């Protein structure tokens, strides 16, 4: 049987278990009144014991002291920056410290904070005058091309080179003026006309001026030998050369020879013209007369550069153009051969070749 003490104790316990609603209401009333007094005084709200809150709280519902504490903490967090800003600020807007959360302009470095973001990438390689954003291997303005010194062909213009002719480099004091390159030129001057060298001369009996006439193997034997005609003047005198007697065979020791010193034309061509005088068969009877042309005076040692023949009987009293011949060494020689028939049947005719004037016109 329970004792009196036990009965007292049991009654107390039963009373405590039967009155939870009254205790909760009292706790709420006291806590709310205490919280209101704390906010009004500006003090920090009291800390609620977790065990007490757990005993006096209804399961699934947040205790009111926690809600009140969160509200007070929010008010304090909003009020503190404004209070500190009023104490530390000055009268100049835009200067000094800013309140927490105040937007500010970025510093020159772009607002980079170590550890938060990577710094801006610079692909220039740190070269002076480089520009950001260049790709590897791409030459930048002011940067010489690999293997080509700056300022030479194939490299960009060095930094500071004036873009306008006549402006000193660098914009400083007077300096050397760089002349513009590759400016258009006027029409090229026409090539100078080549100076044409020419020569003209006449050779024969009585002629001179660097020309000559020689009767090689000449002899006198009346009308059978060499016969001279005229008064000895150039162009009016000539010699009659006796024939060999055979139309196809020469006497190598007897011939007429005209020579020309063609300087200043040392190498070129010469046009040759032969004059056929008037006379009978004994003076002018070649039909035909055969000639050879040489580029030297010693014809017996050389090879002719050309040959021609003239029917003297058919061309008496006229100049006959016989062709153009190449010369070398400023020398021209014309040889009259003595081949020909000076008889008809069993009778001798004494026919001769006429050796009159010969002209030569030469040019280089």
């Amino acid at each position: 049987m329970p004792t009196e003490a036990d009965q007292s104790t049991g009654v107390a316990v039963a009373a405590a278990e039967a009155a939870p609603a009254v205790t909760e209401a009292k706790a709420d009333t006291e806590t709310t009144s205490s919280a209101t007094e704390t906010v009004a005084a500006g003090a920090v709200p009291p800390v609620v014991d977790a065990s007490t809150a757990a005993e006096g709280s209804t399961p699934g519902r947040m205790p009111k002291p926690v809600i009140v504490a969160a509200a007070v903490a929010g008010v304090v967090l909003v009020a503190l920056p404004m209070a500190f800003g009023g104490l530390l600020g000055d009268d100049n807007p835009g200067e000094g410290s800013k309140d927490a959360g105040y937007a500010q302009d970025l510093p020159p470095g772009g607002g980079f904070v170590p550890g938060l973001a990577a710094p801006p990438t610079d692909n220039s390689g740190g070269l002076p005058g480089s520009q950001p954003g260049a790709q590897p291997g791409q030459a930048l303005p002011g940067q010489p091309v690999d293997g080509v010194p700056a300022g030479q062909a194939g490299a960009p213009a060095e930094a500071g080179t004036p873009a306008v002719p006549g402006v000193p480099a660098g914009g400083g004091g007077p300096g050397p003026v760089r002349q513009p390159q590759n400016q258009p030129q006027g029409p090229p001057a026409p090539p100078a006309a080549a100076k044409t060298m020419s020569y003209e001369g006449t050779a024969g009996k009585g002629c001179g001026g660097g020309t000559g006439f020689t009767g090689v193997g000449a002899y006198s034997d009346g009308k059978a030998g060499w016969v001279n005609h005229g008064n000895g003047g150039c162009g009016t005198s000539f010699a009659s050369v006796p024939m060999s007697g055979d139309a196809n065979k020469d006497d190598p020791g007897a011939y007429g020879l005209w020579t020309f010193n063609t300087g200043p034309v040392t190498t070129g061509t010469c046009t040759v013209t032969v004059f056929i005088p008037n006379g009978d068969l004994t003076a002018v009877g070649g039909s035909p007369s055969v000639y050879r042309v040489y580029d030297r005076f010693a014809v017996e040692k050389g090879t002719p550069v050309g040959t021609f023949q003239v029917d003297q009987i058919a061309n008496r009293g006229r100049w006959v153009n016989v062709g153009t011949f190449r010369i070398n060494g400023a020398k021209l020689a014309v040889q009259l051969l003595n081949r020909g028939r000076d008889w008809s049947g069993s009778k001798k005719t004494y026919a001769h070749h006429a050796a009159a004037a010969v002209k030569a016109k030469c040019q280089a």
Side-chain angles (χ1 to χ4, degrees), residues 124-191:
S124 64
L127 296 177
S130 299
Q131 297 179 0
Q135 297 299 325
Q138 177 181 358
L140 300 177
Q143 178 181 351
V145 177
D146 293 342
V148 182
Q152 295 187 4
E158 61 184 56
T161 301
V164 179
V167 177
V177 178
R178 300 188 180 183
Q179 299 298 329
Q181 301 295 325
N182 299 328
Q183 287 195 353
Q185 304 294 329

Side-chain angles (χ1 to χ4, degrees), residues 50-306:
S51 61
T52 305
E55 282 182 25
S57 300
T58 302
R61 180 179 180 183
M62 181 178 292
K64 289 184 179 181
V66 176
I67 297 174
V68 173
V72 173
V75 172
V76 172
L77 290 176
V78 172
L80 284 178
M82 297 178 64
F84 283 12
L87 294 175
L88 300 178
D90 54 23
D91 297 334
N92 295 329
E95 298 180 0
S97 302
K98 304 298 181 180
D99 295 334
Y102 187 89
Q104 300 186 23
D105 294 335
L106 294 178
F112 167 68
V113 178
L116 297 182
T121 303
D122 183 5
N123 294 329
S124 64
L127 296 177
S130 299
Q131 297 179 0
Q135 297 299 325
Q138 177 181 358
L140 300 177
Q143 178 181 351
V145 177
D146 293 342
V148 182
Q152 295 187 4
E158 61 184 56
T161 301
V164 179
V167 177
V177 178
R178 300 188 180 183
Q179 299 298 329
Q181 301 295 325
N182 299 328
Q183 287 195 353
Q185 304 294 329
K195 186 177 180 181
T196 302
M197 310 299 288
S198 61
Y199 166 84
E200 183 173 352
T202 301
K205 291 185 68 69
C207 300
T211 66
F213 173 77
T214 304
V216 177
Y219 64 95
S220 296
D221 186 13
K223 59 180 181 182
W226 289 67
V227 180
N228 293 322
H229 305 273
N231 57 8
C234 181
T236 60
S237 301
F238 65 96
S240 294
V241 180
M243 296 182 179
S244 65
D246 189 332
N248 299 309
K249 186 176 180 181
D250 304 319
D251 181 354
Y255 54 88
L257 184 65
W258 296 262
T259 58
F260 301 84
N261 188 338
T262 61
V265 178
T266 57
T267 302
T269 57
C270 296
T271 300
V272 176
T273 307
V274 175
F275 180 69
I276 307 300
N278 287 314
D280 60 14
L281 186 64
T282 60
V284 184
S287 182
S289 297
V290 179
Y291 302 79
R292 291 176 180 171
V293 181
Y294 294 83
D295 59 357
R296 64 187 63 201
F297 294 163
V299 297
E300 70 279 0
K301 299 179 181 179
T303 300
V305 296

Side-chain angles (χ1 to χ4, degrees), residues 18-46:
V22 176
T23 303
E24 180 179 354
K26 183 177 179 181
D28 291 343
T29 304
E30 290 177 359
T31 305
T32 304
S33 174
S34 176
T36 305
E37 291 176 0
T38 303
V39 173
V44 179

